Amino acid sequence: MMKHFLGNSPNWYKYTIIGFLIFNVLSYFTLGPTITAWIFIAEFIFTLAMALKCYPLISGGLLAIQILALKLTSANNAYHEVEQNLEVILLLMFMVAAIYFMKPLLMYIFSKIFTKVKSKIALSLLFVILSAVLSAFLDALTVTAVLISVAVGFYGVYHKIQSSDLDIDGDGIIDRTQLSGETLEQFRGFLRSLIMHGVVGTALGGVMTLVGEPQNLLIGEKMGWDFIEFFLQMDVITIPVFFAGLLTTVFLEKFKLFGFGGKLPDVARKIIYNYTISEDKKRSRNEKYKLVVQAVAMLLLIIGLALHLAPVGFIGLALIVFQTAFMGITDEHHIAPAFKEALPFTALLVVFFVIVAMIHDQHLFKPVIELALSMEASMQPVMFYIANGILSAISDNVFVATVYINEIEAAFNAGDLSREQYEKLAVAINTGTNLPSVATPNGQAAFLFLLTSALAPLINLSYGKMVKMAFPYAIVLGGVGLLCVMYLL
């Protein structure tokens, strides 16, 4: 049984999970439900940190089942959390699959960018700005799915050349040993740094607008802000933070700090350049037609999301139908692979909502809210920003924002807050949940999606590496945001 339990995970990991499951029962009856709930959160974070040892759906799922068995929350309350986040689940199921069918177009666009832009600093800035702009009008998860598709595509090209003696540079056959060892690590480091710049860009753009992150929509709805008003309420914090983020990108690349600064090896650039020329030469009329269909789908995606014609997941489903219909993909076995990438993560997200329901039922955040509201008016936005930042980093920013905005709405309706103070606290909650939460993959769904994607093991992106690379951004974005809340809000 031990051989099959958690499969190929190391024995120490298997015994740790068994130890957790035994200890939790003892803790529940001796330390009580509140302390046990905090222990469960720490254990769940541990399963995320060990994502490369065992996919967190399995080990985290065992913890979620135990939470329900110990009645720290109920299945109905967990279902309610899923219900509230149904749009995110539909987005993951359908939008990521829609992006899958656009892979050839994305590879075409980004291979041109990779070969034309020689400077790593310029390329990094381009990734941050592009991700930020797209996230402001689309949403962070969709943009992350695009980044993952591109990186997996380039890694695939490199791996294909590495594992076969193909002519790369036009001067004859290259020794494939040149492509392994240090060169491969350098290529992985290059992709790692670009992807991390990109996902940080999704946070920088996502905080600015009504549609950037799910909690923005919720906060905007409660406050009665439209797209423009939301942007104007936030810009006093989000614009300085955005430029601070760009400066951080340049600084990290220039001085090669925290795992950034890795350049694209010359041999890898040749591979991508030659791959681009080779693909352009042998592209058939049929393939060109399919690229046109994908480009139209991309245009429809941008229009659909920018004008909010339907929930994001529905737009994704419509694009799957559009692309498969016009590209002639009618066989179920050719459609199915599109869903492989996102469904395990979607299942993990449902497990995560069990943890969120437990936090809600055990009122774990209530003391922090009460402390913040008991402070004098001038200190409240700062306290809310800090509390939201810390709690978002250990749980989930959408959940934290939901809890906090509901509490201040109740205080406002009870006459305890003025409209001006109510608006200041809403801005502090939105920026607090969006900016410091980049510190860990737990806080941002886009980061968690990247950590558990097929790309992470290919480029050696572990939980620890992700936290290390996100650290300077978390300090700068969180710190500049805090200063803006203190002196400009």
Side-chain angles (χ1 to χ4, degrees):
M1 190 173 80
M2 275 306 290
K3 184 185 169 188
H4 288 285
F5 178 69
L6 300 184
N8 294 326
S9 303
N11 280 337
W12 67 263
Y13 184 83
K14 296 181 182 186
Y15 289 122
T16 303
I17 296 300
I18 291 169
F20 284 169
L21 296 171
I22 295 167
F23 178 76
N24 292 338
V25 177
L26 299 173
S27 170
Y28 180 77
F29 290 108
T30 54
L31 302 174
T34 306
I35 293 173
T36 306
W38 279 110
I39 291 168
F40 267 113
I41 291 173
E43 290 169 352
F44 189 71
I45 291 171
F46 171 82
T47 65
L48 295 176
M50 294 292 136
L52 298 182
K53 303 286 182 204
C54 171
Y55 192 68
L57 170 64
I58 319 304
S59 43
L62 289 171
L63 294 173
I65 292 167
Q66 192 175 41
I67 285 168
L68 293 169
L70 293 173
K71 292 190 166 52
L72 290 171
T73 187
S74 67
N76 280 343
N77 291 354
Y79 179 77
H80 177 65
E81 291 296 336
V82 171
E83 216 171 22
Q84 285 198 311
N85 290 277
L86 185 61
E87 200 167 331
V88 178
I89 289 167
L90 289 175
L91 182 155
L92 282 165
M93 285 170 67
F94 299 131
M95 187 57 82
V96 176
I99 298 295
Y100 173 87
F101 291 109
M102 292 180 196
K103 259 186 190 171
L105 177 70
L106 295 170
M107 285 296 291
Y108 176 78
I109 294 167
F110 278 90
S111 57
K112 301 285 183 201
I113 292 171
F114 267 49
T115 49
K116 296 280 188 292
V117 182
K118 299 284 194 291
S119 160
K120 176 68 190 304
I121 293 176
L123 196 59
S124 301
L125 281 173
L126 189 67
F127 261 65
V128 174
I129 294 166
L130 208 59
S131 300
V133 171
L134 288 173
S135 294
F137 293 98
L138 312 182
D139 70 274
L141 276 169
T142 305
V143 176
T144 306
V146 169
L147 294 172
I148 290 169
S149 287
V150 169
V152 168
F154 281 126
Y155 188 87
V157 170
Y158 187 93
H159 183 69
K160 202 157 110 185
I161 304 288
Q162 186 199 359
S163 51
S164 62
D165 280 333
L166 293 176
D167 184 1
I168 292 169
D169 52 12
D171 300 330
I173 292 169
I174 197 161
D175 178 7
R176 72 175 88 163
T177 55
Q178 249 187 280
L179 301 178
S180 52
E182 203 178 315
T183 311
L184 178 60
E185 272 314 304
Q186 201 182 335
F187 182 58
R188 281 173 170 160
F190 170 79
L191 284 180
R192 243 193 335 262
S193 60
L194 272 190
I195 284 290
M196 284 303 291
H197 287 313
V199 289
V200 168
T202 66
L204 286 170
V207 67
M208 288 187 182
T209 63
L210 191 64
V211 296
E213 296 276 354
Q215 71 267 31
N216 300 18
L217 209 54
L218 174 77
I219 291 167
E221 202 179 290
K222 297 270 186 199
M223 305 306 296
W225 294 335
D226 61 18
F227 191 91
I228 302 296
E229 194 178 352
F230 187 95
F231 177 78
L232 294 174
Q233 288 280 358
M234 299 297 158
D235 68 357
V236 70
I237 295 165
T238 55
I239 301 297
V241 165
F242 177 71
F243 286 107
L246 294 184
L247 286 173
T248 308
T249 303
V250 174
F251 186 80
L252 291 171
E253 285 297 328
K254 180 89 177 157
F255 296 102
K256 297 181 169 56
L257 301 169
F258 293 94
F260 290 99
K263 288 190 166 58
L264 181 64
D266 288 337
V267 70
R269 189 183 295 281
K270 279 180 185 171
I271 288 173
I272 293 168
Y273 180 70
N274 264 31
Y275 163 81
T276 308
I277 291 171
S278 156
E279 287 295 304
D280 287 349
K281 275 182 189 168
K282 68 181 189 189
R283 190 169 287 115
S284 66
R285 197 176 165 194
N286 184 31
E287 285 170 330
K288 285 177 184 172
Y289 163 75
K290 286 181 178 178
L291 282 181
V292 172
V293 172
Q294 289 159 30
V296 172
M298 184 70 82
L299 193 64
L300 291 174
L301 167 67
I302 293 166
I303 293 167
L305 289 173
L307 299 178
H308 310 297
L309 299 179
V312 183
F314 281 17
I315 293 171
L317 181 56
L319 291 176
I320 292 170
V321 173
F322 173 80
Q323 290 179 98
T324 50
F326 285 93
M327 291 195 295
I329 303 167
T330 54
D331 183 359
E332 183 189 349
H333 297 295
H334 288 121
I335 296 168
F339 294 90
K340 272 172 68 178
E341 176 68 33
L343 279 180
F345 180 71
T346 310
L348 172 61
L349 209 59
V350 173
V351 165
F352 188 59
F353 290 138
V354 176
I355 310 292
V356 169
M358 174 192 73
I359 292 170
H360 190 264
D361 285 4
Q362 298 303 319
H363 310 292
L364 298 187
F365 295 168
K366 200 166 185 193
V368 186
I369 296 167
E370 285 171 352
L371 174 67
L373 283 172
S374 68
M375 290 186 162
E376 57 182 273
S378 61
M379 281 303 293
Q380 281 179 2
V382 175
M383 184 60 191
F384 268 79
Y385 178 88
I386 293 169
N388 275 270
I390 293 168
L391 295 174
S392 291
I394 61 166
S395 63
D396 164 58
N397 58 2
V398 179
F399 167 70
V400 173
T402 307
V403 171
Y404 273 79
I405 199 72
N406 287 338
E407 289 292 333
I408 67 160
E409 185 189 30
F412 174 68
N413 291 337
D416 297 335
L417 293 173
S418 65
R419 175 69 195 184
E420 187 191 1
Q421 186 69 0
Y422 183 32
E423 288 183 352
K424 282 183 178 180
L425 293 183
V427 173
I429 289 169
N430 184 59
T431 50
T433 50
N434 274 303
L435 298 173
S437 58
V438 300
T440 69
N442 316 23
Q444 299 253 0
F447 280 55
L448 192 58
F449 183 39
L450 172 60
L451 176 70
T452 56
S453 70
L455 175 66
L458 297 180
I459 58 172
N460 289 342
L461 186 63
S462 64
Y463 188 98
K465 262 189 193 136
M466 215 165 171
V467 170
K468 177 191 164 185
M469 293 177 86
F471 178 74
Y473 277 116
I475 295 296
V476 173
L477 306 191
V480 173
L482 179 60
L483 290 172
C484 292
V485 169
M486 287 168 80
Y487 297 110
L488 301 178
L489 188 60

